[in-house]
Amino acid sequence: MNTQPEFVDALIVGQGLAGSLLAWELVRRHRRVLIIDPPVGDADRGASRVAGGIVSPLSGRRFTRLAELESLIGSATDIYGEIEEAFRFIVFQECAIWRLLNDDLEVAQLAKRQADPAYAPYLGERHAPGTIGHGLADPRGSVCVRGARVDLPRLLDRLRQFFQDTARLQEEALDYADLQLRGDGLVQWKHVRTRQVIFCEGFRVRQNPWFHWAPVRPSKGEILTVGIRRSLPEGVLNAGKWLIPLGEGRYRLGATYRRDDNDPNPTEAGRRELLDAFRNLFLDPPEVEILSHEAGVRPGKTDHHPVIGRHPAHPQLALFNGLGSRGALLAPHYARLLADNLEKGSPIPRPADAQYWHERQRTATGGD
Ligand SMILES: Cc1cc2nc3c(=O)[nH]c(=O)nc-3n(C[C@H](O)[C@H](O)[C@H](O)COP(=O)(O)OP(=O)(O)OC[C@H]3O[C@@H](n4cnc5c(N)ncnc54)[C@H](O)[C@@H]3O)c2cc1C
């Protein structure tokens, strides 16, 4: 049996997408890493294990594109590609995302974006109303967005297995009282000493005694896995709520969005909302069989940048959080940025910089 090390370069709290990709990046750089995360069967499984894993280059009703989109896609392709190569499986796949246009605002926004060359790699032509077929309702037409999908449960399970096999994962929840900031600059957790603790605990950061001020707001999401007997266009369907094909007539139907709700349990209201949205996708809705119903809490941040970096007063503590609704696209890039910052002091862009957010919070509340 592998035994736990007594000294590590980094102790990572949480094995969601943030903790997993950061750990992967540090291991790749030959750093000694230990992750702490509760057993997978625990009631709250974290957002990453229930997420749809859609990577959409353009989001929302306005087809908004992030300024640093090419870097995000580049890092995602690199890191997911490295993991696929290491474990010889596929988790990252390019796919069509069929946007069913809901109203005139979306039609007008689409026309604006199509006239902008920066959007050309990601947007197809608009299809006329009534042409998508398969019994789908497309009264304003549809458009194909070129995106991708990450099989997050598979990715996390495989990485967890790897971290466990190499004595890099301890299955338990961190009790913050067990962390001791030592006089020599190291941190002690039980019998393990480390140079750096990095908190990747998703929305639970709000309970963190050092980072409770981080600009992270919980937003609950629910998702159904359903069986449908109807052939649909290849790829993801998105009309606000989405359908992701899993094969053999099974789909993931998601997701609800409830800001400031941090209850990780599925609800009857969530189930109804998803089924109503499902019926609205079709002119003649097919029968649907519910195979499972899950919920998770996204670590949301209003400006679509995560929050990363060292604590302003305790540099041996750092944060990787705020991935919001776009973790699959953002996490690889920001895992690299954070690793570079921790190792070489490379700068963090201001909207993602934990120290910037701490200062803002301090000024707003007049405290420290
Ligand atoms: C229904 C739903 C659908 C979504 N769909 C998409 C999508 O299609 N595309 C997309 O990009 N994003 C999607 N998201 C968002 C995505 O899930 C998040 O951006 C991302 O998973 C956040 O990852 P994380 O690692 O920061 O947090 P989490 O995945 O929540 O991970 C936090 C981890 O920390 C652990 N932890 C917490 N406290 C402690 C402690 N004290 N000690 C040890 N461990 C601790 C938890 O157990 C968990 O494993 C969706 C989210 C939901 C809820």
Side-chain angles (χ1 to χ4, degrees):
M1 203 176 93
N2 286 313
T3 50
Q4 242 183 42
E6 290 187 354
F7 177 82
V8 290
D9 297 300
L11 185 73
I12 295 180
V13 182
Q15 195 244 331
L17 189 58
S20 296
L21 294 193
L22 179 66
W24 175 262
E25 184 62 21
L26 292 174
V27 169
R28 209 180 59 80
R29 296 175 187 212
H30 308 292
R31 299 292 169 250
R32 284 161 293 181
V33 167
L34 182 66
I35 307 170
I36 314 171
D37 190 81
V40 172
D42 275 14
D44 173 14
R45 310 170 67 206
S48 309
R49 286 181 180 278
V50 300
I54 299 171
V55 177
S56 180
L58 312 175
S59 65
R61 302 187 61 210
R62 293 177 189 277
F63 295 90
T64 310
R65 176 207 133 107
L66 299 181
E68 71 276 31
L69 183 59
E70 273 72 30
S71 306
L72 297 174
I73 293 177
S75 300
T77 314
D78 284 358
I79 295 192
Y80 294 130
E82 275 168 18
I83 296 172
E84 288 180 335
E85 202 176 309
F87 301 117
R88 301 191 176 283
F89 70 166
I90 304 285
V91 283
F92 179 77
Q93 280 185 297
E94 291 185 3
C95 70
I97 301 175
W98 288 99
R99 282 280 301 266
L100 304 181
L101 302 168
N102 282 318
D103 54 32
D104 293 339
L105 171 80
E106 290 187 5
V107 173
Q109 279 296 322
L110 174 63
K112 198 168 129 194
R113 302 308 191 198
Q114 279 173 325
D116 182 342
Y119 285 76
Y122 309 110
L123 271 180
E125 289 301 308
R126 179 178 167 213
H127 292 251
T131 56
I132 194 162
H134 304 269
L136 289 160
D138 61 343
R140 299 285 199 293
S142 59
V143 65
C144 176
V145 176
R146 294 179 198 100
R149 210 197 138 215
V150 185
D151 187 341
L152 289 177
R154 193 158 188 233
L155 174 76
L156 294 187
D157 284 350
R158 188 62 193 87
L159 285 176
R160 190 174 187 95
Q161 185 68 54
F162 165 69
F163 294 135
Q164 275 176 326
D165 290 348
T166 52
R168 292 187 175 104
L169 189 129
Q170 176 71 26
E171 282 204 329
E172 65 179 274
L174 172 82
D175 181 344
Y176 298 104
D178 288 340
L179 281 184
Q180 192 196 330
L181 277 52
R182 297 165 32 134
D184 60 3
L186 299 179
V187 183
Q188 184 91 35
W189 175 67
K190 299 190 173 176
H191 67 280
V192 183
R193 281 168 300 123
T194 184
R195 265 191 258 282
Q196 190 77 61
V197 179
I198 304 128
F199 295 103
C200 308
E201 74 265 73
F203 83 97
R204 294 198 183 274
V205 69
R206 290 159 78 87
Q207 295 156 7
N208 184 309
W210 296 282
F211 285 103
H212 54 85
W213 45 263
V216 174
R217 289 177 69 174
S219 53
K220 177 174 180 172
E222 298 189 42
I223 189 166
L224 295 172
T225 303
V226 295
I228 312 168
R229 286 214 191 96
R230 166 84 54 95
S231 89
L232 293 176
E234 210 165 289
V236 172
L237 275 176
N238 183 355
K241 302 273 189 285
W242 35 253
L243 265 181
I244 304 171
L246 301 176
E248 297 170 358
R250 290 176 311 122
Y251 292 81
R252 302 200 88 196
L253 166 61
T256 63
Y257 194 97
R258 279 180 66 89
R259 188 161 286 164
D260 294 327
D261 185 344
N262 60 12
D263 165 24
N265 298 303
T267 62
E268 177 55 29
R271 193 180 78 101
R272 243 182 292 121
E273 184 181 330
L274 290 169
L275 289 178
D276 286 348
F278 174 80
R279 286 186 203 101
N280 288 336
L281 279 173
F282 295 91
L283 296 168
D284 62 328
E287 272 190 31
V288 55
E289 182 190 359
I290 297 176
L291 304 171
S292 70
H293 182 184
E294 295 162 283
V297 182
R298 305 171 184 89
K301 186 162 170 278
T302 45
D303 66 357
H304 307 304
H305 293 271
V307 53
I308 64 173
R310 294 180 194 270
H311 190 280
H314 306 292
Q316 63 274 57
L317 305 178
L319 181 70
F320 185 4
N321 211 305
L323 288 171
S325 302
R326 300 186 191 194
L329 176 60
L330 299 178
H333 183 67
Y334 284 92
R336 272 188 177 169
L337 275 186
L338 179 55
D340 283 346
N341 173 264
L342 296 176
E343 303 229 307
K344 299 184 264 183
S346 310
I348 295 171
R350 199 163 87 156
D353 185 358
Q355 298 194 6
Y356 162 74
W357 285 101
H358 180 262
E359 186 54 27
R360 264 185 67 148
Q361 165 82 3
R362 206 178 61 80
T363 322
T365 57
D368 20 71

